[in-house]
């Protein structure tokens, strides 16, 4: 597996992966918004031996903090550490950007993702009721560096 920063040419395959990963009630990133994020934020990709994009993580940069906006790994490649490496590398990057506070929101029923975030130092902050279109609550998590 190779990990690298996304560039503008990655727009179409990234958008295709997003459609596999997130149904409409989970607020998938649109093609237009990926274009915006490629220009203004930071996207890290996981690429297999055939140079297909099999995972990505997107972080929004704010002045003093950052938000993990999206993270996903293609179903065939899950459970092999790809999500963990993407998140770890992103946190490393944000550390060097001096973003000591990182937040995210995750479906309260997404046990795998919550477990991954907890493993990487995120703590439960609060619940945002009925955040998702199907009525599911969002869990807001935060990671603070001293
Ligand atoms: C969440 C997701 C990104 C994890 O990626 P992954 O590459 O499968 O995860 P990894 O193999 O790196 O596992 C890292 C940790 O995640 C958690 N995890 C992963 N799969 C899990 C499972 N089936 N059950 C419970 N925990 C799991 C564990 O904490 C695991 O650490 P461990 O191996 O020490 O137990 C992936 O399942 C995914 O893309 N899901 C669909 C999209 C999504 O829900 N994204 C998150 C939106 S907030």
């Amino acid at each position: 597996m190779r990990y690298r920063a996304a560039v503008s040419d990655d727009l179409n395959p990234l958008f295709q992966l997003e459609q596999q990963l997130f149904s409409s009630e989970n607020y998938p990133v649109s093609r237009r918004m990926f274009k915006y994020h490629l220009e203004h934020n930071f996207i890290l990709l996981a690429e297999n031996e055939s140079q297909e994009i099999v995972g990505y993580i997107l972080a929004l940069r704010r002045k003093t903090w950052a938000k993990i906006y999206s993270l996903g790994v293609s179903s065939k490649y899950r459970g092999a550490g790809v999500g963990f490496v993407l998140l770890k590398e992103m946190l490393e990057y944000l550390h060097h950007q001096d973003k000591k506070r990182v937040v995210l929101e995750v479906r309260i029923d997404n046990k795998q993702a919550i477990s991954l975030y907890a493993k990487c130092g995120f703590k439960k902050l609060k619940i945002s009721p009925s955040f998702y279109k199907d009525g599911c609550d969002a869990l807001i998590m935060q990671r603070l560096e001293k």
Side-chain angles (χ1 to χ4, degrees), residues 3 20-22 26 54-56 68-75 77-87 104-107 110-120 132 139:
Y3 298 87
Q20 289 169 35
L21 291 172
F22 299 103
N26 291 316
V54 301
Y56 85 97
I68 303 295
Y69 190 75
S70 189
L71 164 66
V73 175
S74 172
S75 51
Y77 290 85
R78 285 183 198 155
V82 176
F84 177 71
V85 175
L86 283 170
L87 182 56
L104 59 84
E105 60 223 359
V106 55
R107 286 179 67 102
N110 192 342
K111 302 277 175 281
Q112 294 96 315
I114 293 170
S115 165
L116 169 58
Y117 296 137
K119 185 174 159 175
C120 290
Y132 295 95
L139 174 64

Side-chain angles (χ1 to χ4, degrees), residues 127-146:
I127 301 236
S128 195
S130 303
F131 179 86
Y132 295 95
K133 287 181 187 161
D134 63 353
C136 184
D137 296 346
L139 174 64
I140 317 294
M141 301 184 82
Q142 172 176 265
R143 182 177 187 271
L144 284 176
E145 274 181 32
K146 278 167 213 129

